[in-house]
Amino acid sequence: MSKNASYVIVSGGTACNHIARSFHGSPNSDVCYVLSISDNGGSSSELLRVLGGPSIGDMRSRLTRLIDFADPQPPSPERMAMKDLLSYRLPSDVSEAEVKEEWFSIVEGRHPLWQPIPSEKREAIRGFLTSFHFEILKRAHKRFDFRNGSIGNFFLTGARLFFGSLDAALFLFSAITGISERTTVLPVINTNHTATIAAQLANGETLAGQNEISHPPAKQPSSTGSRRPPTPGCRWTHANPIEAFSHLALNARSSSNLFFDKAACEELAAPIERINYINQYGQEIYPVPNPKFISQLSSKHTLIFSIGSLYTSIVPCLILRHVGNTIAHSSSLKRKILLLNGSNDRETSGYTAMDFIQTITAALNQSRNVDARHAFYETCAASDNGQLATPPFPEYEFSPYPPSSFISHMIYLDNSAVTVDAEAIEALGIRCISLQGSLSPTGLPIFDDVTLSEAIEAAA
């Protein structure tokens, strides 16, 4: 790998963790991971219900993975002990009293996980866990459910609330665990508020919340009949209109998204046509991305669209304002590489490689369209001549960019379960690179770290 390799990697949580080592072949590698903050499933769903704020689960997952190798020196026993602690999940199959007792043993510093960690780092970490616990106690009426809770998520949340800054919390995590300063993890939106995405399906249906789109929990019998449960962070989905527009009306109850099984999810009722952000009332909004994301796109040499959930991990990072234009016009980006998933999931059932390319292209053109509309309305406001209504945006003046403006290379597995028409893709101006694939323990095609690293380096 080049000694001065620099990457900005748009990714989700779990999938990219398996290939992250591919980007750290040199001690001088400059790597930035950009992750969505809209996950509302698992442990994150309970944090959103009780404390609000952005979802930090995917970022915590990436940071704990990076402890293994994102530093020139081999990980020390104390760093691995911190990884064990910050990766630890409280049990999900015990009573409320039992899970609280284990949490108390952690926050009080008596749990065996603390033993290999030096006292100064133990007290630093424990300080933010106690800060988190204090915030939970202030909201005791909401009856926080500690089951399946991630200690790393609790630490990051405590730090975020203490500093009032997600960036500061992520910096603290990296500093304490010894992750190299040349490796950064960025939230795609820098905020202390909850971000919610929605999917518009081809049949006209709307799904609100990442969990509902990607891996909804099993339907539970309830008095609401066939209606789905509310989505944390999105109060408009409450079935009862009396509760629909105010969190002050809601009962204290744990999130229905706390437990789910990705493998057991049924297919979507119709294909996804579009992803967008919504506010708490279901209205579409257009968030501004983290300025550091735009800065990274303007300074790094290689952009990677990572493997992962296409519509809930990758696309939410691409539809934001300024992203499409920055990627298309960046003078620093020499390579824009799509790593094609080895198989499809609930979001992309039946997709081909061309469908992945067209989806990413549409998302980035969606970003450019928002920029064009924003500029148009700014011009209208500046030249206000007494008109009572703003004229509609002239869509015919907007010209979508072709796929080659955003993607220069596509790397795919020779045993991929996703159909690849290399000739048709190369006709778009995108170079296709085939790699020998491996198989996961469950028999799915996966990338190998070493061969992927070599392929990325060879792409030119």
Side-chain angles (χ1 to χ4, degrees), residues 249-272:
L250 302 181
N251 295 321
R253 56 196 177 202
S254 60
S255 170
S256 62
N257 291 342
L258 190 57
F259 304 106
F260 57 84
D261 182 359
K262 288 188 178 182
C265 291
E266 60 186 31
E267 289 190 6
L268 291 168
I272 297 174

Side-chain angles (χ1 to χ4, degrees), residues 43 58 75 122 163 180 188 198 247 276 312 326 346 399 409 437:
S43 173
D58 285 347
R122 178 175 68 244
F163 292 122
S180 168
V188 72
H247 65 283
N276 58 276
T312 54
T326 303
R346 167 182 160 93
S399 300
H409 299 72

Side-chain angles (χ1 to χ4, degrees), residues 428-447:
L428 297 175
I430 299 172
R431 181 184 169 196
C432 295
I433 302 173
S434 176
L435 289 187
Q436 182 176 355
S438 304
L439 290 176
S440 71
T442 57
L444 294 176
I446 57 173
F447 285 95

Side-chain angles (χ1 to χ4, degrees), residues 157 325 342:
T157 301
N325 281 318

Side-chain angles (χ1 to χ4, degrees), residues 75-259:
S76 64
E78 74 174 51
R79 283 175 61 199
M80 296 313 296
M82 285 189 285
K83 178 185 177 181
D84 291 341
L85 172 69
L86 296 171
S87 301
Y88 185 70
R89 284 190 179 274
L90 295 170
S92 58
D93 55 353
V94 297
S95 68
E96 181 180 4
E98 289 172 312
V99 74
K100 281 187 175 180
E101 174 54 36
E102 181 165 5
W103 164 242
F104 292 149
S105 73
I106 291 174
V107 78
E108 292 170 4
R110 348 181 232 103
H111 197 282
L113 284 168
W114 290 111
Q115 290 180 4
I117 301 176
S119 59
E120 70 277 8
K121 293 184 178 179
R122 178 175 68 244
E123 292 308 303
I125 295 172
R126 201 173 69 81
F128 291 101
L129 292 179
T130 57
S131 177
F132 167 78
H133 189 67
F134 176 65
E135 297 294 336
I136 292 298
L137 287 178
K138 287 196 297 184
R139 300 161 178 81
H141 62 286
K142 294 187 176 182
R143 298 186 62 85
F144 184 83
D145 192 339
F146 285 94
R147 292 178 302 159
N148 200 41
S150 162
I151 303 304
N153 285 359
F154 295 170
F155 170 75
L156 274 176
T157 301
R160 178 185 67 80
L161 293 171
F162 179 83
F163 292 122
S165 166
L166 177 56
D167 267 353
L170 295 169
F171 167 77
L172 177 70
F173 194 114
S174 295
I176 286 181
T177 56
I179 295 173
S180 168
E181 292 185 3
R182 297 184 67 86
T183 300
T184 55
V185 173
L186 288 183
V188 72
I189 303 172
N190 188 19
T191 180
N192 280 317
H193 300 286
T194 301
T196 303
I197 59 172
Q200 316 300 324
L201 304 189
N203 64 356
E205 184 180 355
T206 297
L207 300 180
Q210 177 172 323
N211 210 64
E212 187 73 11
I213 301 166
S214 181
H215 38 265
K219 293 182 174 63
Q220 300 293 332
S222 71
S223 59
T224 60
S226 61
R227 292 172 177 169
R228 59 185 176 84
T231 299
C234 182
R235 291 190 287 276
W236 75 285
T237 59
H238 283 284
N240 191 324
I242 302 301
E243 296 181 337
F245 297 107
S246 175
H247 65 283
L248 301 177
L250 302 181
N251 295 321
R253 56 196 177 202
S254 60
S255 170
S256 62
N257 291 342
L258 190 57
F259 304 106

Side-chain angles (χ1 to χ4, degrees), residues 334-389:
K334 307 305 180 187
R335 300 173 297 181
K336 307 168 188 178
I337 303 175
L338 167 61
L339 303 183
L340 183 66
N341 287 354
S343 57
N344 283 312
D345 56 18
R346 167 182 160 93
E347 300 174 17
T348 59
S349 179
Y351 268 37
T352 65
M354 186 66 79
D355 292 321
F356 277 81
I357 290 170
Q358 297 295 352
T359 298
I360 289 173
T361 301
L364 291 167
N365 275 318
Q366 182 178 331
S367 165
R368 293 184 56 250
N369 184 272
V370 173
D371 289 346
R373 289 159 57 198
H374 183 269
F376 172 77
Y377 297 133
E378 287 288 297
T379 302
C380 290
S383 59
D384 184 11
N385 55 7
Q387 289 182 324
L388 295 178

